[in-house]
Amino acid sequence: MATRSRAYLTPYLRGLRLLDLLTVMLSVLGAQFLRFGSSSTSLGTHVGALSYTAVSAALILGWMTALHLQNAYDGRLVGHGVQEYRQVFHASTWLFAALAITAFALKLDFARGYVILAFPLGTLFLLAGRWSARRWLVSRRRAGELSDRVLLVGDREHVASLVVALRRAPDAGYNVLGACVDTATSGWIEGVPILGPETDVLLKAVDLGADVVAISSSTGLGQTGLRRLGWALEGTKIDLVVAPGIMDVAGPRVLTRPVQGLPLIHVEAPTFVGPALVAKGLLDRVGALIAMIVLSPVLVAVAIAVKLEDGGPVLFRQERVGRDGNSFGMLKFRTMVVDAEARLPQLLAANEGAGPLFKLHRDPRVTKVGRALRKYSLDELAQLVNVLVGDMSLVGPRPPLPREVAEYEAHVRRRLLVKPGMTGLWQISGRSNLSWEEAVRLDLYYVENWTPVLDLMIMWRTAQVVIQPDPHGAY
């Protein structure tokens, strides 16, 4: 039998608990020291001689308990980004809500400064610690280590989709060993070996030391076979995962409701109007205004560099298509020669872009300054003006050209249901290296699954991409 790889989880989770404990201790005791110094301070007349040191110890214990109750050490979820951060944040919020209720019920007179310091410090440091731990774990997973060994089961079409989806996300930690497909006994599917028919799944999973058996939505096992497989996997420490046929639907739109033992998956329709999008528009404009003020020295320096190179215009205005198909003039700091648009027909034959996009790795129209601006996406800072006037969002689908929209298929036009963005999933997932189909998939995923948390994640990842640009992805 093959050696199981999930053994990495035990030391990793142990280290994670230790990191969280040290972080909580540092935050709580640090808040006590900042508020009271090294002196022992009582809680006031209501509790007599009970010191804040004792309260700090209880708070540390309570914080670690809250993390456990919120499943912050669930090996199936650690390293999965937003989910993990949400668990940590919820644990911290519930702890301090319980603290406030207890203080009110028992009439304890806590120093507000102590609580105000401890809560944000602890939450921020916990999230920073999880982020650091996740970065280390992701780096190992991208190197092919510390991942769950997965055996896929289903028909060829659905198994192929699963292989592609898991390959797109090495950070998730799923290493596909092979697949049991239909009634096949050998062959390959999307570069993954076919190990046998679906009926051999249990035998192959045990022989290979698999950590996860992933069943596609169109498996030949049937309802009875799937249930028996679940029974057979009991006690083997092999997880059973069922992949629904509905693709690219995020968790907030999914609700599982059991009816007579049958799990029904409710998928809410995406919404493109309402208070949430009004709030997004307001935050976009406020964020753009703040960014323009903070980055004003950079904006001025970029403008001077563009002007000094050839004396031409600083800004380049190009017609793009926005929400509901309405056109607007998108601004960029000019990165090409003044007559770049007139030269375009001569270069169309050398197009390296996917689908209707025009991309040329060594575009002769790009200036020296322009190449540096594109590498760090500084040319796109001018679009803050478009966000400020309401034509664009900080985060959204890529703003297309009219000629691109003219070639859109019906489903691709769903990209136009929301405002285009300065950045988006396409920006942090490969940019010019993406295929046309992949770029469309990412944009449609964003359009239908937008949340404030997703926006924050994309902006954070964008900052990382800009600081450490991919030399092959930005040109």
Side-chain angles (χ1 to χ4, degrees), residues 361 374-376 427 429-434 464-475:
H361 189 69
R374 288 185 171 204
K375 180 178 180 180
Y376 295 97
Q427 177 86 347
S429 303
R431 303 175 71 179
S432 299
N433 288 333
L434 293 174
Q464 293 178 300
V465 170
V466 169
I467 294 172
Q468 297 178 326
D470 177 2
H472 305 291
Y475 52 87

Side-chain angles (χ1 to χ4, degrees), residues 245-311:
I246 303 173
M247 301 292 288
D248 293 329
V249 178
R253 289 177 54 208
V254 177
L255 174 65
T256 303
R257 178 188 175 192
V259 177
Q260 293 294 314
L262 178 66
L264 299 180
I265 299 177
H266 292 249
V267 180
E268 295 183 1
T271 57
F272 307 105
V273 294
L277 286 178
V278 172
K280 175 178 168 67
L282 178 62
L283 292 175
D284 280 338
R285 297 189 182 196
V286 172
L289 181 60
I290 294 174
M292 290 180 70
I293 295 173
V294 172
L295 297 175
S296 56
V298 177
L299 298 174
V300 171
V302 170
I304 292 174
V306 174
K307 189 68 176 178
L308 289 179
E309 180 166 25
D310 58 12

Side-chain angles (χ1 to χ4, degrees), residues 14 20 55 59 85 99 121 128 134 174 200 225 239 252 270 298 355 391 412 425 431 438 465:
R14 188 184 299 123
D20 286 350
V55 173
L59 192 55
Y85 304 147
L99 178 65
L121 273 178
R134 181 175 180 269
Y174 291 115
D200 287 352
D239 288 339
V298 177
D391 291 328
V412 182
L425 288 173
R431 303 175 71 179
E438 184 69 2
V465 170

Side-chain angles (χ1 to χ4, degrees), residues 12 16 19-20 23 78-82 84-85 88 123-139 457 460-461 463-464 467-468:
Y12 180 78
L16 206 57
L19 176 63
D20 286 350
T23 300
V78 292
H80 284 261
V82 174
E84 185 175 5
Y85 304 147
V88 171
T123 304
L124 183 62
F125 288 163
L126 278 172
L127 291 173
R130 288 302 181 103
W131 177 77
S132 300
R134 181 175 180 269
R135 287 204 66 181
W136 177 85
L137 181 61
V138 166
S139 69
M457 183 201 75
W460 172 253
R461 292 276 303 276
Q464 293 178 300
I467 294 172
Q468 297 178 326

Side-chain angles (χ1 to χ4, degrees), residues 51-73:
S51 69
Y52 268 100
T53 300
V55 173
S56 293
L59 192 55
I60 293 169
L61 179 61
W63 214 325
M64 293 303 297
T65 302
L67 288 169
H68 276 276
L69 292 176
Q70 286 292 324
N71 295 321
Y73 303 106

Side-chain angles (χ1 to χ4, degrees), residues 17 52 55 113-114 145 172 179 196 212 230 233 262 291 299 305 406 440 445:
R17 288 187 180 94
Y52 268 100
V55 173
Y114 170 72
E145 304 172 10
V212 178
L233 291 176
L262 178 66
L299 298 174
V440 169
Y445 177 90

Side-chain angles (χ1 to χ4, degrees), residues 1-5 149 208-209:
M1 180 183 295
T3 303
R4 295 181 64 80
S5 66
R149 299 156 63 89
L208 293 171

